[in-house]
Amino acid sequence: DTRDIATPSKTKEILHKHGFTFKKSLGQNFLTEPNVLRKIVATAEIDDTTNVIEVGPGIGALTEQLAKSAKEVLAFEIDDRLIPVLADTLHEYKNVKVIHQDVLKADLIKLTAENFTDNTLPLKVVANLPYYITTPIMMHFLESDLPVAEMVVMMQKEVADRISAEPGTKAYGSLSIAVQYFMEAKLAFIVPKTVFVPQPNVDSAILKLTRRSEPAVDVINEKEFFKLTKAAFQLRRKTLWNNLLHAYGKDDTTKNWLTKSLTQAAIDPKRRGETLSLSEFAALSNAMMSISK
Ligand code: SAM
């Protein structure tokens, strides 16, 4: 049988054969459109010198297309009921390994070292993400120190908009900054909800993230930089000043330190967090690091 796993009839057949029922709590919306899958693989520019990590293979619809192009595929699936299904649907693809684990708890560095034959090859993350944990998964990869060259990931369109947002827009926030600090973010294409079973409530988007050769801005202390960017968006309709006091303290010493730092960075405290560019956040964070309280 040479039909793609993702065709609606083959998907139905597989689900029926294994008596599989969807778990909404695990974000299970399977893709049933081979053309969309091929477009995802094309966007990721995968060839036989690329290693791929997939999150949530489901019944293997995307995994199969990745296996056809990539050197090796390592897929993390949390649902134990899908492990025998994947062993069945992917048995002819010798370059796929499925790991039965919550990706958020996975030691990515260790597992890639152990499972890829050649760890010098470029590594890409390609996935139709479980939407209930899109942000934690993105952060898990970004903070892992894994040398991910590119991420091509499907998520709710609204989250894709937030990640790729420019300063001054409503969608811009600490998530945009956390991702854009490391990666260049581009919305690749929109996927209508009609190509999934079961259908989600919202449309999805494919986001293409390409690692920058260096972080987007120079910061003295990354942890403090991210703390600042989170703090600036905590109280959404308040000024930067109010958010800073809320996060760092309202005592005179702190106020004095913040005022000096804002002055050094040439940032008006009455502005709102969402108007600050990455370089302005970097300037403010660096000022806060270099001026002692
Ligand atoms: N890749 C398949 C496709 O495109 O049809 C399925 C995608 S479905 C949106 C998300 C998948 O992620 C499901 O198979 C679900 O069981 C799995 N999943 C959910 N939470 C997970 C986690 N924490 N770690 C690994 N996989 C998870």
Side-chain angles (χ1 to χ4, degrees):
D1 190 346
T2 55
R3 278 178 305 151
D4 288 324
I5 295 170
T7 59
S9 61
K10 183 83 179 272
T11 298
K12 214 167 153 187
E13 207 177 287
I14 294 166
L15 296 176
H16 183 75
K17 178 178 171 190
H18 294 273
F20 183 81
T21 50
F22 295 99
K23 263 195 195 149
K24 220 178 163 179
S25 62
L26 290 178
Q28 292 177 338
N29 301 96
F30 295 170
L31 263 170
T32 57
E33 175 48 83
N35 287 325
V36 171
L37 292 168
R38 280 190 275 272
K39 222 169 137 184
I40 294 173
V41 176
T43 302
E45 299 173 281
I46 289 160
D47 59 26
D48 59 4
T49 64
T50 316
N51 284 333
V52 177
I53 292 182
E54 187 194 2
V55 178
I59 60 169
L62 176 58
T63 326
E64 174 181 52
Q65 304 303 326
L66 293 168
K68 284 182 190 170
S69 308
K71 174 75 174 174
E72 289 178 309
V73 181
L74 188 61
F76 291 91
E77 177 54 63
I78 196 173
D79 189 344
D80 53 340
R81 302 170 308 153
L82 287 169
I83 304 306
V85 181
L86 288 160
D88 177 17
T89 58
L90 298 173
H91 73 271
E92 64 189 276
Y93 300 98
K94 303 297 175 214
N95 58 343
V96 175
K97 272 188 196 161
V98 175
I99 299 199
H100 176 211
Q101 203 172 325
D102 176 349
V103 71
L104 294 177
K105 295 192 180 133
D107 183 340
L108 297 171
I109 300 269
K110 182 166 164 270
L111 288 166
T112 50
E114 284 172 2
N115 287 288
F116 287 123
T117 313
D118 183 354
N119 275 287
T120 64
L121 296 179
L123 176 63
K124 299 190 178 183
V125 175
V126 184
N128 171 14
L129 294 173
Y131 292 174
Y132 72 108
I133 41 169
T134 299
T135 303
I137 291 175
M138 298 299 292
M139 296 317 294
H140 187 51
F141 277 97
L142 291 174
E143 289 166 357
S144 70
D145 287 331
L146 203 65
V148 177
E150 210 159 271
M151 296 181 80
V152 172
V153 276
M154 175 134 71
M155 56 186 68
Q156 295 180 39
K157 183 172 176 303
E158 181 254 327
V159 182
D161 285 338
R162 281 202 276 134
I163 290 179
S164 56
E166 305 274 348
T169 62
K170 233 176 110 183
Y172 181 68
S174 56
L175 181 62
S176 332
I177 295 169
V179 176
Q180 291 175 30
Y181 177 77
F182 298 104
M183 318 283 277
E184 216 171 294
K186 236 169 84 184
L187 212 144
F189 60 96
I190 305 294
V191 180
K193 52 188 171 201
T194 50
V195 301
F196 299 89
V197 284
Q199 278 189 34
N201 297 323
V202 292
D203 284 336
S204 302
I206 301 287
L207 201 61
K208 177 170 176 162
L209 306 172
T210 310
R211 183 173 295 272
R212 302 176 189 277
S213 50
E214 280 168 54
V217 288
D218 277 326
V219 299
I220 294 173
N221 182 322
E222 264 180 18
K223 218 175 133 224
E224 289 298 326
F225 171 72
F226 290 124
K227 181 182 169 188
L228 169 65
T229 59
K230 274 205 194 97
F233 293 95
Q234 207 67 55
L235 313 164
R236 209 47 212 208
R237 272 166 296 279
K238 301 277 176 141
T239 60
L240 179 61
W241 180 248
N242 279 316
N243 272 304
L244 292 176
L245 297 192
H246 182 74
Y248 293 92
K250 296 180 173 65
D251 56 285
D252 286 345
T253 319
T254 304
K255 277 185 179 166
N256 204 353
W257 167 65
L258 289 170
T259 303
K260 278 191 203 155
S261 303
L262 285 156
T263 307
Q264 182 172 314
I267 292 165
D268 181 348
K270 289 196 287 296
R271 286 171 63 184
R272 296 231 185 117
E274 57 262 40
T275 69
L276 269 69
S277 67
L278 253 76
S279 344
E280 287 178 310
F281 275 119
L284 180 55
S285 175
N286 290 344
M288 289 161 73
M289 290 289 93
S290 56
I291 294 168
S292 51
K293 263 198 191 181

